[in-house]
Structures are given as C-alpha cells and as structure tokens.
Amino acid sequence: MKKYLIVAVIFFTCSTILNAQEKIKLNTKKSTVTWEGSKLFGFGKHDGTVNFKEGEVSVIDSKITKGSFVIDMTSIKSNEKETWVYDLVEHLKHKDFFDVKNNPTAKIVFTNIKYIGNEGHMQITADLTINKITNSVFFSAKQNNEKKEIETRLKIDRTDWNITYKSQGKKTVKDQIISDAISFKVLLNFSK
C-alpha cells in the first residue's frame, strides 16, 4: 500500500509540474527582426528586416524556460528606397552571404535563461543556426508581461557562420571591407 501511495504522489507531482508549463506561440505578424550591416572604413550602412516563420516559448509562472524560433531567410528586405536595393537584397540571398536557395531558414534555440532582478531583465544563451552552421550566442533581453513581448539587441560576427564576402580577414582596406559585425534588433510578440 505504501508503494502505491509513493507512486501516486510522484505521478501527481510530475503531472502538476508538466501542467504548470505552458507553451505560447509566437505572433509572427507582430514580431520583427531588424538587421544592420556597414562598411568597416566607409560611411555606408545597410539595414532592413527579415520575418519569423514560427516560434514558441515554454513558460512557468510567467518566466520563460525554453524558446525556439525559425526565421524565414527568403523574406530578407532592405529599408532603403534607392533603385539598387533590389540588387542588394538579391546579393544578400546569394551564396556570398546567406545562400537562401540552400538555406531558406535560420533558427535560434534558447539553451539557458537567467532572470536578473524582478523587472523582466534576462540573460539568454542560445544556439543560432545560419547556413547550417550552429554557434552559441549570448545576449540580454527585457520581458514585458503586460505587452506580452520580449525585446533584445544582439551582434554577431558573420565569419563564425562562414559568411566571409569582403571580410576584413579576407581583403585589404582598399577593397571596401564590409564589417564582420551584423547587429539585430528583435521584438518577440506573443499576443493572440
């Protein structure tokens, strides 16, 4: 009888923990990724957007414990209005950069989340996969429960994902080197 009681308690405890964890889908229409790249020694920069395809977080007691997001690399756009923008976007989709034909999606998976204080500040470690290469990234974020949003900024070294076109490691200054850093401003929205 005692064994049955212990098994029942363990089962009830596990069920309660599993039931307390809620999965919330990303609202892809209200979520945004804004990217920015620049020339290393020039005054030019480019910026634009790319869309999420899907995503979700796991939440316990209003705190995120896991997250996984798929980015639609075919949706890359530039915010610029000049006539050459079409060529820029096509070049970003080319194998010199994101090779969208062979890699139509990128993915980011939260591997560790640490809350700092009581105001929704988070430190997140994640696996970022671009061009079938996965590297760990670290960034700070802010969770807003009222708006059901998370905001963050992060910067990556594109050469870590084998994006080396006009990289400072591959060219000389006269070749109009493109900075190896790409920055992202990200808004994740979970409203229905």
Side-chain angles (χ1 to χ4, degrees):
M1 181 68 174
K2 197 172 185 181
K3 282 184 185 177
Y4 290 120
L5 183 59
I6 291 169
V7 170
V9 168
I10 291 171
F11 178 76
F12 177 77
T13 304
C14 289
S15 296
T16 303
I17 290 168
L18 288 174
N19 289 336
Q21 182 169 296
E22 181 184 5
K23 289 191 177 184
I24 303 172
K25 296 277 185 197
L26 181 72
N27 184 327
T28 57
K29 302 257 189 271
K30 292 184 179 179
S31 299
T32 58
V33 178
T34 304
W35 56 266
E36 183 180 297
S38 61
K39 290 182 180 173
L40 192 61
F41 293 103
F43 293 103
K45 70 169 190 167
H46 300 295
D47 66 315
T49 59
V50 62
N51 299 332
F52 284 101
K53 188 172 184 178
E54 61 187 26
E56 71 175 18
V57 289
S58 295
V59 177
I60 296 176
D61 295 329
S62 299
K63 290 192 174 180
I64 294 167
T65 59
K66 295 179 191 174
S68 179
F69 309 91
V70 177
I71 300 151
D72 179 5
M73 298 304 289
T74 66
S75 70
I76 294 174
K77 290 185 178 76
S78 171
N79 288 334
E80 297 158 284
K81 304 297 180 200
E82 285 79 0
T83 53
W84 45 259
V85 164
Y86 174 81
D87 293 332
L88 167 68
V89 171
E90 288 305 303
H91 195 198
L92 290 173
K93 291 180 178 181
H94 186 266
K95 63 183 177 182
D96 283 342
F97 287 95
F98 298 107
D99 193 12
V100 170
K101 183 178 178 183
N102 293 307
N103 303 289
T105 61
K107 188 172 187 179
I108 188 161
V109 177
F110 295 170
T111 56
N112 189 29
I113 301 163
K114 183 178 179 184
Y115 279 83
I116 310 296
N118 296 322
E119 297 185 19
H121 294 281
M122 312 154 72
Q123 292 180 336
I124 300 173
T125 305
D127 285 339
L128 176 60
T129 303
I130 302 172
N131 292 351
K132 296 184 179 73
I133 297 169
T134 302
N135 287 302
S136 183
V137 292
F138 176 82
F139 51 93
S140 296
K142 176 78 165 67
Q143 180 177 331
N144 185 324
N145 287 332
E146 224 174 271
K147 293 183 177 178
K148 298 184 179 176
E149 291 178 344
I150 297 172
E151 287 185 90
T152 187
R153 290 176 181 265
L154 70 145
K155 196 174 275 193
I156 65 167
D157 179 341
R158 64 189 173 97
T159 63
D160 290 340
W161 286 267
N162 202 28
I163 303 167
T164 56
Y165 178 80
K166 288 197 176 183
S167 165
Q168 58 200 65
K170 302 287 181 184
K171 300 286 178 182
T172 62
V173 175
K174 67 180 183 183
D175 292 321
Q176 301 228 351
I177 301 167
I178 299 170
S179 174
D180 291 342
I182 303 173
S183 61
F184 300 95
K185 182 180 175 184
V186 182
L187 175 69
L188 303 172
N189 183 287
F190 299 94
S191 64
K192 292 184 180 177

